[in-house]
Amino acid sequence: MIYLDHHSTTPVDSRVLDAMMPYLTDKFGNASSLDHSLGHEASIAVESARGAVAKAIGARSNEIIFTSGATESNNLALAGTMNRYRDKGNHIITCTTEHKAVLDTVKYLEDHHGKKATYVHVDEFGKADLSQLEDSITDQTVMISIMAANNEVGTIADIAEVGKIAHEHDVIFHTDAAQAAGHINLDVEAMNIDLMSISAHKMYGPKGIGALYVRGLKPRVRLESILHGGGQERNMRSGTLNVPGIVGLGKAAEVAIREMDAENTTFRTWSKKMLDSFEQEGALLNGHRTDRLPYNLNICFPGVESKAIINSISKEVAISAGSACTTQTVEPSHVILALGHDEERAHTSIRIGIGRFNTEPEIDRCTQLITELVPTLKNIAAQ
Ligand SMILES: *Cc1c(COP(=O)(O)O)cnc(C)c1O
């Protein structure tokens, strides 16, 4: 099986698994049980992983909170901030192409907590309209949440500019970096980021573990917790720490930062080669041509149902029609629609996500399968 669906999840890197293994077996201590050496060694491992995650985004160790993944980090960042700062205001600004973990949380805050939201539009390339964003800030605005890179079309946001606008207006800036962390350079200081969601399984770590960066200085961001209990993670996220998962996330971050540049050079070469071949078959690129995740390709083959392509090659190649969260339904992608395209385009677009363990022959094979298939499927559709 040629796996080219790395936006939905990535395999665990063997170096990550090796680092985790002792904490799934002999070193099973509870990182909060500091009365004995088993607890101590777990705690030391957690703190070392915290340092690795912090280093990867230019943060300090004590600014990293471990969660169960980017969904939880987004919920905690949005609900935790909006509710903690209720005396400041009730307004949040986000964007139409966000992941459901942001959009549905914002909707929940509107429906059940009396918050007001503005959904900033994006252009045809997936870039948020920054003048609309700045114009919609009021004295009630508590926070802005704009994703660092889109999980469907791969567009990389101008987050440094969003951060600058946010801080000029004393507004807290959250970014969902599930697709970006470990894949492109992120620096919470240079980009004025106050909160950042990270997921391990999007960067060759295990599922069910993630982190939330919470700025500690200038400004110090405070959160109302959404889980109540033992008071772990400085009272922001109760629950016994997932030590093997945390160790895995730390290792994944360390490896990603070291290998990112070389990996991206390869991914850019491969995705360009694929795109050139597809464009010769009449394909249209969705998203931004240059400001995109190097491992992403999202393309439309006009007149060819994405499901037909995906199903025809599924014995050999794993690709998808878009977000894994929406592929179970027949609803068109909200991201493709937000770019200003019609439902037809949404139903004829496929997403390819290249990854660390792919090889050039695999890329070539996938390209060949699709370019051979498209004219046939077009003929069938035309009949
Ligand atoms: C995968 C993803 C999430 C959800 O992350 P989990 O760790 O699976 O909860 C959130 N946002 C984006 C952009 C994602 O790609």
Side-chain angles (χ1 to χ4, degrees):
M1 171 64 83
I2 300 173
Y3 185 75
L4 288 169
D5 193 19
H6 289 85
H7 298 282
S8 100
T9 195
T10 57
V12 174
D13 189 302
S14 63
R15 292 166 289 186
V16 170
L17 182 64
D18 289 348
M20 291 172 69
M21 209 43 120
Y23 299 93
L24 289 161
T25 52
D26 304 341
K27 303 185 177 188
F28 59 85
N30 182 326
S32 302
S33 302
L34 299 178
D35 292 332
H36 50 71
S37 62
L38 271 172
H40 257 290
E41 71 187 353
S43 167
I44 288 167
V46 164
E47 294 318 312
S48 153
R50 204 186 296 282
V53 173
K55 191 171 170 213
I57 57 169
R60 286 172 290 268
S61 283
N62 65 359
E63 297 176 311
I64 302 297
I65 301 295
F66 291 113
T67 67
S68 63
T71 299
E72 186 190 331
S73 295
N74 288 342
N75 274 261
L76 176 57
L78 300 173
T81 306
M82 292 308 293
N83 287 332
R84 181 68 175 69
Y85 293 88
R86 57 171 66 78
D87 291 342
K88 186 193 174 196
N90 64 354
H91 182 227
I92 175 168
I93 300 170
T94 185
C95 156
T96 51
T97 51
E98 293 291 315
H99 191 273
K100 291 286 179 193
V102 165
L103 292 178
D104 287 357
T105 305
V106 173
K107 182 84 173 52
Y108 164 79
L109 292 170
E110 287 184 283
D111 291 350
H112 300 280
H113 290 265
K115 309 300 181 192
K116 300 271 180 276
T118 299
Y119 299 85
V120 171
H121 295 113
V122 299
D123 64 17
E124 65 176 303
F125 308 112
K127 292 269 194 181
D129 181 339
L130 298 191
S131 48
Q132 189 199 355
L133 182 137
E134 185 157 21
D135 288 347
S136 46
I137 297 175
T138 70
D139 58 1
Q140 289 290 304
T141 307
V142 173
M143 74 188 299
I144 295 172
S145 182
I146 299 287
M147 72 200 316
N150 187 271
N151 51 300
E152 292 191 33
V153 296
T155 302
I156 296 171
D158 301 321
I159 45 174
E161 282 157 54
V162 178
K164 190 163 171 278
I165 294 171
H167 280 194
E168 276 168 8
H169 294 271
D170 285 325
V171 169
I172 292 169
F173 173 36
H174 166 254
T175 188
D176 175 353
Q179 296 286 335
H183 296 280
I184 57 171
N185 283 314
L186 294 169
D187 186 310
V188 294
E189 290 306 329
M191 297 171 163
N192 285 307
I193 296 164
D194 300 312
L195 295 157
M196 184 195 291
S197 302
I198 296 174
S199 177
H201 78 96
K202 303 287 176 68
M203 49 188 280
Y204 307 93
K207 292 166 186 60
I209 186 74
L212 180 66
Y213 158 77
V214 184
R215 176 173 289 279
L217 280 173
K218 295 184 190 172
R220 173 167 179 201
V221 176
R222 295 172 166 282
L223 296 176
E224 194 167 285
S225 57
I226 53 177
L227 292 181
H228 309 283
Q232 288 89 346
E233 299 297 87
R234 295 188 295 121
N235 260 322
M236 284 191 261
R237 204 280 187 173
S238 284
T240 302
L241 296 185
N242 172 358
V243 178
I246 290 168
V247 169
L249 172 55
K251 188 70 185 179
E254 177 204 311
V255 172
I257 292 307
R258 201 170 51 230
E259 303 186 351
M260 182 192 294
D261 290 344
E263 212 161 64
N264 282 342
T265 303
T266 307
F267 293 166
R268 278 194 197 96
T269 311
W270 290 352
S271 61
K272 169 139 196 340
K273 203 163 118 180
M274 283 187 126
L275 181 59
D276 287 347
S277 305
F278 294 153
E279 284 185 326
Q280 279 172 21
E281 293 300 321
L284 306 168
L285 180 71
N286 294 320
H288 204 285
R289 198 163 276 272
T290 50
D291 280 354
R292 67 188 306 120
L293 292 169
Y295 65 106
N296 173 278
L297 259 192
N298 193 307
I299 39 200
C300 164
F301 288 99
V304 185
E305 288 282 320
S306 52
K307 284 283 168 206
I309 298 180
I310 293 164
N311 294 342
S312 306
I313 64 174
S314 66
K315 281 206 180 69
E316 214 181 320
V317 183
I319 57 167
S320 78
S323 156
C325 314
T326 48
T327 43
Q328 298 309 310
T329 68
V330 286
E331 276 184 31
S333 152
H334 74 281
V335 175
I336 302 289
L337 297 183
L339 266 51
H341 301 309
D342 57 12
E343 294 202 7
E344 168 73 12
R345 177 115 170 202
H347 287 302
T348 51
S349 293
I350 57 170
R351 180 183 68 177
I352 295 174
I354 304 170
R356 183 175 290 166
F357 305 111
N358 286 131
T359 61
E360 193 157 8
E362 287 183 333
I363 300 299
D364 293 344
R365 176 65 183 151
C366 174
T367 310
Q368 182 198 9
L369 278 172
I370 293 176
T371 47
E372 284 175 4
L373 191 60
V374 164
T376 318
L377 290 175
K378 251 186 206 155
N379 284 338
I380 295 171
Q383 274 165 18

